[in-house]
Amino acid sequence: MDWLEELKAAFAQEFAQAADGAALEQLRVKYLGKNGRITKALAEPGGAASAEALLEIRKELNTLKKAAGAEISVKAEQLRQSAIDAAELQTPRYDTSLPLRLEKGSYAPITLIQREVEAIFESMGFTVEDYAEVTDEYNCFEALNIPPYHPARDMQDTFYLENGQVLKTHTSAAQNTIMRKYGAPLRAVFPGRCFRNEAIDANHDNTFFQMEGMMIDRDISISNLIYFMKIMLSEVFGRPVKVRLRPGFFPFVEPGFELDINCLICGGEGCPSCGHSGWLELCPCGMIHPNVLRHGGIDTEQYTGFAFGLGLTRLAMMKYGIKDIRDLNSGSLKVLAQFV
Ligand code: PHE
């Protein structure tokens, strides 16, 4: 049967060309799905001269169906495995139990990741801003729609200095200053060290790093936010990473989200670094609240914007496979030696 040979050849050719999981899935639907070419042919095999011929065609079609399904599954698994292997090759080995061999100095992992993320955002037209570690309550809270006695302050208890200043609890503390400095439109990232009164464990420290990002312009929406986050994360990890958005509350964004990434240390199975959930909260984000824009002198009739607070410390832990956050501020040469 000509059409049967054609069908086989068409499948073989498209199968050879399918280079990733998504393409294979499309192929499965196209040939084996409910309205797939093979499925349809089986239902109505045309052109058989006799009942015997019909039987023969059905047999061949069934063989083709089985073989196609199996080939697709095998190739999909192979592709998945080689993606994992490639990713593993790229992930530097982090093992502080190895004997210390330090012939020269190294950058700290946070510095490395910070520079990398800065370069990615710079390439997308963002400027990199510097901001003080000691600030005041206005910048850290009030300008961000967190008035005195607002319960949101509880989660961000910090070191209060005698002169009324505070050690900043998040890089969002720079939002107001940067809006005042540039006005709209604006694209900026600002990395920084943050401080909170935390119960310390493998995943929490009183001193950690974030990188804030803000983009303000006409017609900025959540799609812009998701786009920039995805580009950034896939650049950092050198492969597409799984993310999920959950609603999250922060007084300075509306709507607000928690962007989680699949834990790359355990692959989503659950480990101490991800609190056994398989996901790591990496990047709270959202659309900047109009009150915050107004505090920054931005015309809310004309402009909207998004902001995110990337956990640089978490990102470094993910990227380098650092299981205990306390390694990072330990000053241990065994830690630094991993990054020479
Ligand atoms: N500043 C918030 C925090 O550290 C994170 C955040 C930044 C949330 C920007 C939304 C937008 O918890």
Side-chain angles (χ1 to χ4, degrees):
M1 261 318 116
D2 284 354
W3 63 263
L4 188 52
E5 290 311 313
E6 259 169 44
L7 183 61
K8 283 186 193 168
F11 175 78
Q13 195 195 355
E14 288 184 50
F15 177 75
Q17 280 168 359
D20 56 32
L24 283 170
E25 194 43 42
Q26 270 179 11
L27 198 64
R28 190 193 296 278
V29 172
K30 182 166 173 190
Y31 283 87
L32 303 169
K34 240 203 213 146
N35 292 312
R37 292 186 63 182
I38 298 179
T39 319
K40 272 191 167 165
L42 258 170
E44 287 175 38
S50 64
E52 261 156 47
L54 186 63
L55 214 66
E56 197 49 41
I57 293 174
R58 282 237 160 87
K59 219 166 114 191
E60 275 202 46
L61 276 171
N62 269 320
T63 314
L64 176 62
K65 183 178 165 184
K66 261 201 192 146
E71 279 173 35
I72 289 176
S73 300
V74 169
K75 187 166 173 182
E77 179 55 28
Q78 279 168 352
L79 286 174
R80 204 182 67 84
Q81 201 51 51
S82 50
I84 293 174
D85 292 348
E88 260 175 18
L89 274 181
Q90 274 185 2
T91 309
R93 297 259 164 260
Y94 181 83
D95 185 353
T96 47
S97 67
L98 293 173
L100 178 62
R101 280 222 317 266
L102 195 60
E103 283 117 28
K104 53 181 177 147
S106 72
Y107 284 113
I110 300 285
T111 308
L112 293 173
I113 199 96
Q114 178 181 322
R115 291 189 178 175
E116 201 178 327
V117 179
E118 281 174 4
I120 296 167
F121 277 105
E122 273 180 322
S123 77
M124 298 193 285
F126 284 68
T127 58
V128 179
E129 306 293 326
D130 202 9
Y131 186 74
E133 288 173 0
V134 180
T135 181
D136 53 30
E137 290 192 49
Y138 175 77
N139 279 286
C140 204
F141 302 120
E142 263 113 79
L144 293 166
N145 213 19
I146 313 177
Y149 307 109
H150 191 287
R153 289 201 182 193
D154 270 5
M155 285 179 296
Q156 302 207 2
D157 188 20
T158 181
F159 301 88
Y160 285 77
L161 309 186
E162 273 164 12
N163 65 5
Q165 289 188 301
V166 297
L167 299 192
K168 72 170 191 276
T169 57
H170 50 180
T171 41
S172 308
Q175 283 193 8
N176 188 267
T177 308
I178 286 165
M179 283 187 281
R180 295 241 162 240
K181 182 168 167 195
Y182 293 105
L186 143 73
R187 288 183 195 198
V189 287
F190 24 112
R193 196 193 313 257
C194 305
F195 308 86
R196 287 191 201 173
N197 179 6
E198 285 282 357
I200 293 170
D201 62 25
N203 209 25
H204 297 89
D205 203 346
N206 54 24
T207 305
F208 55 93
F209 289 78
Q210 291 185 337
M211 182 179 291
E212 192 90 355
M214 277 181 113
M215 178 169 182
I216 301 174
D217 210 327
R218 289 172 209 273
D219 301 325
I220 295 294
S221 74
I222 298 165
S223 338
N224 301 102
L225 167 65
I226 296 174
Y227 172 82
F228 280 100
M229 292 292 99
K230 277 200 173 154
I231 294 272
M232 188 273 297
L233 291 170
S234 46
E235 287 279 324
V236 169
F237 290 106
R239 62 183 140 145
V241 288
K242 245 193 180 168
V243 300
R244 70 174 184 188
L245 270 188
R246 291 178 290 125
F249 175 72
F250 303 92
F252 37 96
V253 285
E254 178 60 37
F257 305 103
E258 291 284 0
L259 186 139
D260 299 343
I261 74 166
N262 206 230
C263 179
L264 300 174
I265 292 178
C266 63
E269 277 168 25
C271 67
S273 309
C274 60
H276 301 280
S277 73
W279 292 93
L280 263 208
E281 252 178 55
L282 187 65
C283 191
C285 51
M287 302 304 292
I288 306 170
H289 196 290
N291 288 352
V292 175
L293 291 172
R294 265 178 236 122
H295 270 295
I298 307 280
D299 179 356
T300 52
E301 293 293 313
Q302 302 209 40
Y303 294 101
T304 49
F306 66 73
F308 60 84
L310 179 66
L312 267 191
T313 298
R314 291 246 164 100
L315 193 58
M317 290 171 73
M318 287 268 87
K319 169 142 182 167
Y320 299 116
I322 302 170
K323 293 197 175 69
D324 194 322
I325 195 172
R326 289 164 290 200
D327 282 5
L328 288 165
N329 290 330
S330 68
S332 161
L333 288 179
K334 287 206 158 193
V335 171
L336 287 177
Q338 311 288 318
F339 301 93
V340 176

